[in-house]
Structures are given as structure tokens and as C-alpha cells.
């Protein structure tokens, strides 16, 4: 079952990427898209590839497609890990305030215009990571009981509180900045967008996604142990607290990288793991890779809708993912209500 779904989703992702590379103000047939990609990968000589098609497909659209695939995979993986570690099916980087904390760090660099010998993207990544870790620590400090347990309701409330606090800080930073262009850029960035992705940033996101997926696959047994609670994990010889913190800090880092390059994009980490578990069951050996593939498909098509639904303008990607994720959140809340 898992193998079959992996093949299906992988094929769907490859086909979707080919189709999306041809979608835009200038339509390019799928055959020409394949020729451009094959030429760039030195699989063919590419004598029939025009310079215009090469420029549009490879230089303008391909980085955006690769970046959206990587971000979707990373956010879905992060959501699946957080749901397991907290024992809370509503956990994801957005609802737990991690994305909001990362946004505070990134917007601070963007708005204040901090100068350094480091590139702005690296500065934003570092600042995002710092903000994400601080937000995560605050949420866990507020939610963790004396026994070390993380009650689902309290964790979500803590995440919402920290998210609101970080959101207010972001809005304050945007309001006090004197330059309207910078403020407008920061405001648009807070809604999530893949517009500014180029090959350097897209490649970075892709490498992070591959590493994160490899770590999850290798540690699938440990994550499976957490799914049955801390006591079960301890009985299997797992150091619960250090391992939980290691994965959560890793999740914060992954979220920070995504936020630094594309802004906060919500609901991907919440909805995708649940859909995957409904299809293949709870085992992490299957949930992780399938969540990455499904998350990549969601963000890829969300970005395509964002740049295609309103000709002449672009809808923020976060609006599209929220339109998809909000109904799923309502369904999950109703499920919890029926169980209680």
C-alpha cells in the first residue's frame, strides 16, 4: 500500500511539475518544457529549444516550482513530527506559533535593514531560527505540566497566544518603518509567496528537504515509539526529553528556513499528515515520505493557483492554503468534539 502510494504521488508530482512549468502568461507546451529540462540536464543537445522558452522555463519558473515543492515537503514533515511529539493532532508550525516567531526574526531583518557581511537571505534565516526557537520555548514552557506532559488543549492555546503576540510584534515593526516600499514588501511577505525564489534559494530549500526527509526515514522507529506516548518510548530505551527537544529544534530550524525564503505559509503541516494517515495508517515509515510528497503537491498547485486565478496580479499563497486548510481544521475540531 505504501509503495503503491509512493509511486502514484511521485508520478503525480513529476507530471504536475511539467504541467506547471508551462502555465503562465506565456503558455509553453509540455513537450517544449521537457525539451528545456532535458537540455539543461544534458540529456539531449536541445537544438530545437528556443532562447525564450529556455529563459521562461528554466530561469523564471523552474526555481519557483522547485522551491514550492521543497517548502511543501518541509512543512508537511514538520507538522507530522510535531503532531507525534506533542500527541496533539492539531499541532503544526503555524498553530504552535513557530512560524510566527520565525516571522518576527525575518521581518526585523527585512524592515530594519540590518547590514552585515552575510547575505540578507542568510541573515533572515538566522533571525528566523532564533525567533522560531524562542517561540517554541515559550509555547512548551506555558503548556508543559509538572509531570512533563503536553495536554493537547493547553498546547494549542499556548501556541495561539504566542502566535498572536508574535503577530502583533510583526505588525508593529511594519507600522513603525518609515519607508513605504519596505513596509509594503514586508506586509506582502507575511502572507507567503514564492515570487522571489531564484536558483540559489530554491536549491537551498531542496537540499534541506532531502536532508530532513532522510533524517525522518532513518528515525522512523523512534517517532513510532513517541506515537504511543512517553512511557512506551522510555520502555524502548529512548531518552524522551533530549530526543523530543532535538526533533523540535530541528523542526524550528526547518520552519525558519522556509519562512526566511517564502514567508509564513499556514495549514500545510496541519492538513497533509492527517490525510496521509487516513489513507495508509499511522506508521511513520509511510507517513513521512508520503506527507512530503503530498505537501509538495499541495504547495505546488496552491502557488500555481495564486499566480493564475487573478490575471495581472498574484494572490498570496497563504490565502490559498488557508482556503484549503481551514475546512479541514473545522473537521478535525468536530472529530475532537465527538470524542470528548
Amino acid at each position: 500500500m505504501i509503495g503503491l502510494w509512493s509511486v502514484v504521488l511521485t508520478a503525480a508530482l513529476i507530471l504536475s511539475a511539467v504541467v506547471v512549468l508551462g502555465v503562465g502568461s506565456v503558455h509553453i507546451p509540455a513537450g517544449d518544457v521537457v525539451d528545456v529540462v532535458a537540455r539543461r540536464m544534458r540529456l539531449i543537445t536541445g537544438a530545437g529549444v528556443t532562447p525564450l522558452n529556455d529563459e521562461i522555463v528554466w530561469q523564471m519558473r523552474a526555481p519557483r516550482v522547485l522551491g514550492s515543492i521543497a517548502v511543501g515537503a518541509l512543512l508537511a514533515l514538520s507538522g507530522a513530527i510535531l503532531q507525534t511529539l506533542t500527541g496533539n493532532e492539531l499541532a503544526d508550525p503555524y498553530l504552535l506559533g513557530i512560524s510566527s516567531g520565525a516571522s518576527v526574526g525575518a521581518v526585523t531583518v527585512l524592515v530594519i535593514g540590518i547590514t552585515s557581511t552575510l547575505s540578507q537571505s542568510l541573515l533572515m534565516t538566522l533571525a528566523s531560527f532564533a525567533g522560531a526557537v524562542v517561540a517554541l520555548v515559550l509555547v512548551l514552557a506555558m503548556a508543559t505540566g509538572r509531570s512533563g506532559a503536553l495536554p493537547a488543549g493547553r498546547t494549542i492555546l499556548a501556541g495561539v497566544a504566542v502566535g498572536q503576540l508574535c503577530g502583533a510584534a510583526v505588525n508593529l515593526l511594519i507600522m513603525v518603518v518609515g519607508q513605504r516600499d519596505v513596509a509594503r514588501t514586508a506586509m506582502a511577505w507575511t502572507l507567503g509567496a514564492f515570487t522571489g525564489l531564484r536558483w540559489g534559494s530554491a536549491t537551498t530549500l531542496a537540499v534541506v528537504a532531502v536532508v530532513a526527509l532522510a533524517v525522518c526515514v532513518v528515525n522512523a522507529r523512534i517517532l513510532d515509539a513517541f506515537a504511543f506516548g512517553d512511557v512506551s518510548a522510555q520502555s524502548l530505551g529512548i531518552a524522551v526529553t533530549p530526543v523530543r527537544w532535538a526533533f523540535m529544534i530541528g523542526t524550528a530550524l526547518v520552519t525558519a528556513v522556509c519562512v526566511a525564503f517564502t514567508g509564513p505559509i499556514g495549514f500545510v503541516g496541519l492538513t497533509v499528515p492527517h490525510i496521509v494517515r487516513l489513507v495508509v495508517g499511522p506508521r511513520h515509515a509511510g507517513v513521512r515520505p508520503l506527507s512530503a510528497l503530498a505537501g509538495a503537491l499541495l504547495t505546488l498547485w496552491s502557488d500555481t493557483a495564486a499566480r493564475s486565478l487573478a490575471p495581472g496580479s498574484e494572490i498570496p499563497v497563504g490565502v490559498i492554503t488557508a482556503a484549503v486548510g481551514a475546512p479541514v481544521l473545522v473537521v478535525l475540531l468536530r472529530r475532537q468534539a465527538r470524542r470528548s
Side-chain angles (χ1 to χ4, degrees):
M1 174 71 102
I2 293 174
L4 175 62
W5 276 108
S6 297
V7 171
V8 170
L9 289 177
T10 300
L13 185 59
I14 294 172
L15 179 61
S16 296
V18 172
V19 172
V20 167
L21 283 171
V23 174
S25 57
V26 178
H27 174 71
I28 299 176
D32 292 346
V33 169
V34 173
D35 286 344
V36 170
V37 175
R39 174 179 175 273
R40 284 287 184 168
M41 297 181 68
R42 304 184 185 279
L43 299 177
I44 62 174
T45 58
V49 175
T50 66
L52 179 60
N53 283 354
D54 184 79
E55 177 70 20
I56 293 174
V57 171
W58 191 257
Q59 297 298 338
M60 297 176 63
R61 294 178 184 170
R64 185 164 179 163
V65 167
L66 179 61
S68 63
I69 288 173
V71 168
L74 287 170
L75 292 177
L77 283 173
S78 298
I81 291 172
L82 288 173
Q83 288 163 15
T84 297
L85 295 179
T86 62
N88 186 346
E89 65 180 10
L90 296 178
D92 87 323
Y94 195 82
L95 285 181
L96 289 187
I98 298 175
S99 291
S100 298
S103 296
V104 174
V107 169
T108 300
V109 173
L110 188 64
V111 168
I112 297 179
I114 299 174
T115 58
S116 170
T117 56
L118 301 176
S119 65
Q120 186 183 52
S121 60
L122 180 55
L123 274 175
M124 289 181 68
T125 301
L126 295 174
S128 295
F129 178 57
V133 169
V134 170
L136 176 63
V137 170
L138 287 175
V139 169
L140 294 180
M142 294 169 61
T144 304
R146 293 182 178 179
S147 63
L150 284 170
R154 196 159 64 211
T155 304
I156 291 297
L157 286 175
V160 170
V162 171
Q164 290 293 321
L165 178 63
C166 293
V170 168
N171 290 332
L172 180 62
L173 284 168
I174 293 174
M175 288 180 62
V176 300
V177 65
Q179 301 178 18
R180 291 185 178 181
D181 291 342
V182 175
R184 190 181 300 111
T185 301
M187 180 61 73
W189 178 87
T190 59
L191 297 175
F194 297 105
T195 309
L197 288 181
R198 296 295 180 264
W199 272 114
S201 52
T203 302
T204 300
L205 288 167
V207 170
V208 173
V210 171
V211 172
L213 180 59
V215 170
C216 289
V217 170
V218 170
N219 292 282
R221 185 186 66 84
I222 294 176
L223 291 170
D224 278 336
F226 273 96
F228 295 99
D230 291 358
V231 175
S232 296
Q234 287 176 339
S235 67
L236 294 175
I238 297 172
V240 171
T241 300
V243 170
R244 174 182 281 126
W245 272 103
F247 273 106
M248 284 194 162
I249 290 176
T251 301
L253 176 59
V254 163
T255 303
V257 172
C258 293
V259 170
F261 286 116
T262 65
I265 299 174
F267 290 103
V268 176
L270 173 65
T271 58
V272 171
H274 286 287
I275 296 172
V276 170
R277 289 191 188 99
L278 287 175
V279 175
V280 301
R283 290 199 61 185
H284 289 263
V287 170
R288 293 301 155 277
L290 294 182
S291 291
L293 290 170
L297 276 169
L298 175 59
T299 50
L300 176 61
W301 282 108
S302 295
D303 181 51
T304 305
R307 61 185 175 87
S308 303
L309 291 178
S313 61
E314 186 165 320
I315 303 171
V317 176
V319 174
I320 305 297
T321 57
V324 175
V328 176
L329 177 60
V330 171
V331 172
L332 293 175
L333 290 173
R334 292 303 305 160
R335 283 178 56 191
Q336 279 196 343
R338 285 196 295 268
R339 290 175 183 175
S340 60

